[in-house]
Amino acid sequence: MIAVVLTIVFFTACTENDSRIVLPHLPESAVNFIVANDLGRNGYYQQKPIAQLMGYTAEHIDIAMIAAAGDIHHFEGVASVADPLWMTNYELIYDHPELMIEWNAICGNHEYRGNTQAILDYSHISRRWNVPQRYYTQVLQSDDGVSCRLLFIDTTPLIDKYRNDSITYPDAHKQDDNAQLRWIDSTLAHAAEKWKIVIGHHPAYAYTKKEDAERADIQARLSPILEKHKVNIYFCGHIHNFQHIRLDSSSVNYVVNSAGSLSRPAKETEGTLFCSGDPGFTLCSIDATAIRFFFINHKGEIVYSYTIPQ
C-alpha cells in the first residue's frame, strides 16, 4: 500500500502554473484535436508537465480526441495488455479529467520492438484507447457541418530498415505493406470530405540525424499518394522536434509534431517554414474556412501557428 500511495503522489505532482498559458481564440463551430507522440518516459523528461498542459488545453478548448502518433511506449514497446508500462507511461500520466476522451493511436517503431497486437487489444481494456486496426480512418465534423477525413496509418512496415530486422522488430515484416498502400490510396480516392489529414509516425520530409533511408522509403511509397489526392496535412512524429515543411513542388503540409517528453534539436532544411527543438504537442482546429494548427511547447507557449485556408 505504501508503494501504491507513493506512486500516486509522484504522478499527481503539480506542474508549473498553468494560468499563464495563453490559448488561441478558435471559432466556436470548429472541431479540435491534439496531436501527441513520442511520449513514454514514465513521467520523466517533462512528460508529466506536458501532459498537464494538454489537460489544461482540453479544459479550456473543446477537444474531440487525441491523435497519438506512435511511440507511446519507449523503449521496447509493451509485452502485453497487462504490462505495467500502460500505467506508468499512459494511465497515470494523462490523468487529467479532460483527457478522458478518445485516444486514436497508431504504432511507432518502439511499439514494434514489443508486442504490437497488445496495442490493438488494449482497446478492450481502456475505454478511451482506440486502435481498431493497425491502420484505420475516422471522420470529424465541425458544428458548421464541415467534415475532415483522417487516416491513421502504420508507417513502420513501410520502411525497409524495420522489415529487414526481424530480431529487433519481429512484427514489421509480417505486415502487408502493399495492401496498406492500396488502402490509403483507395480511402483517399473515395473521401468526399472537405479536408483530408493523414497521421503516421515517420516523416517524409524533415531535418533529422536518423538514417536517410527512412525518409526515402516514406517519400517513395507514401508521398506520391498524399500528393495525388491533395492531402492537406501529413502529421508525424519520430524525430522529437517541431517542424513544418512545405516543398515548392508540393501542396501537402508536412508537419512534424515534437515529443511529448524528451526532445531533440532542430534546424532548417529544404522547405522549412518553421522548426524548434522544444518538446510539446500540437493543437489542430478545423472549420468551414480553414485548418489551423498550433505548436505548443513545454512552457505552454504557442511557438508557431499556421492557417490553411479553404
Side-chain angles (χ1 to χ4, degrees):
M1 285 299 296
I2 293 174
V4 171
V5 171
L6 288 175
T7 299
I8 293 172
V9 170
F10 170 76
F11 283 113
T12 55
C14 292
T15 185
E16 298 177 8
N17 185 5
D18 289 337
S19 64
R20 65 183 182 173
I21 304 171
V22 179
L23 293 171
H25 295 287
L26 302 174
E28 290 187 6
S29 62
V31 59
N32 314 301
F33 65 92
I34 287 172
V35 183
N37 48 262
D38 298 278
L39 306 176
R41 303 281 179 174
N42 292 296
Y44 288 88
Y45 301 103
Q46 299 173 314
Q47 186 189 8
K48 182 61 175 177
I50 291 171
Q52 292 181 333
L53 289 172
M54 289 169 57
Y56 179 87
T57 301
E59 186 177 348
H60 293 83
I61 293 175
D62 186 19
I63 300 296
M65 61 95 177
I66 310 293
D71 283 4
I72 287 80
H73 298 289
H74 284 79
F75 292 88
E76 304 297 331
V78 289
S80 69
V81 295
D83 195 315
L85 288 176
W86 284 107
M87 296 302 291
T88 59
N89 275 342
Y90 177 59
E91 298 288 1
L92 293 175
I93 303 296
Y94 303 96
D95 57 355
H96 192 286
E98 298 301 328
L99 296 181
M100 301 299 153
I101 56 178
E102 190 170 86
W103 286 60
N104 292 298
I106 53 175
C107 289
N109 51 293
H110 282 280
E111 276 80 18
Y112 266 91
R113 287 175 172 261
N115 180 352
T116 55
Q117 185 60 42
I119 303 299
L120 281 69
D121 292 345
Y122 197 68
S123 302
H124 304 298
I125 305 296
S126 172
R127 291 179 62 184
R128 59 175 172 164
W129 186 259
N130 180 50
V131 189
Q133 302 291 337
R134 292 175 187 269
Y135 50 91
Y136 56 98
T137 187
Q138 185 184 54
V139 174
L140 293 180
Q141 185 163 304
S142 62
D143 288 345
D144 53 14
V146 172
S147 55
C148 176
R149 171 71 60 175
L150 291 94
L151 276 68
F152 297 84
I153 66 170
D154 189 17
T155 55
T156 302
L158 303 181
I159 298 173
D160 289 342
K161 165 187 171 180
Y162 304 112
R163 297 186 68 86
N164 295 335
D165 186 353
S166 60
I167 302 299
T168 309
Y169 307 96
D171 290 345
H173 73 283
K174 300 175 184 177
Q175 311 310 314
D176 189 336
D177 55 333
N178 288 319
Q180 180 180 185
L181 292 170
R182 289 194 297 270
W183 176 86
I184 295 170
D185 188 22
S186 176
T187 303
L188 289 172
H190 291 91
E193 292 74 23
K194 180 181 181 69
W195 306 109
K196 290 176 281 190
I197 294 174
V198 176
I199 300 171
H201 182 66
H202 293 86
Y205 300 96
Y207 163 76
T208 176
K209 291 185 177 181
K210 294 181 181 288
E211 299 173 28
D212 290 341
E214 290 188 14
R215 284 170 297 147
D217 286 347
I218 296 296
Q219 289 171 20
R221 294 166 182 166
L222 178 63
S223 288
I225 302 174
L226 305 181
E227 304 288 347
K228 172 183 175 182
H229 297 292
K230 295 180 170 52
V231 167
N232 300 108
I233 300 177
Y234 174 61
F235 277 118
C236 67
H238 187 54
I239 51 180
H240 296 222
N241 49 46
F242 288 121
Q243 297 186 54
H244 180 197
I245 308 290
R246 182 74 178 266
L247 302 177
D248 291 339
S249 60
S250 172
S251 62
V252 178
N253 291 276
Y254 291 94
V255 180
V256 182
N257 181 56
S258 190
S261 54
L262 184 65
S263 64
R264 301 186 182 117
K267 66 179 183 180
E268 293 187 0
T269 187
E270 181 184 0
T272 299
L273 297 182
F274 177 82
C275 63
S276 168
D278 285 351
F281 60 95
T282 298
L283 170 65
C284 187
S285 182
I286 301 165
D287 68 358
T289 63
I291 298 178
R292 301 170 180 88
F293 64 86
F294 307 83
F295 291 160
I296 302 176
N297 72 6
H298 60 296
K299 299 177 182 178
E301 301 166 338
I302 297 175
V303 295
Y304 179 71
S305 63
Y306 189 81
T307 299
I308 303 170
Q310 62 180 349

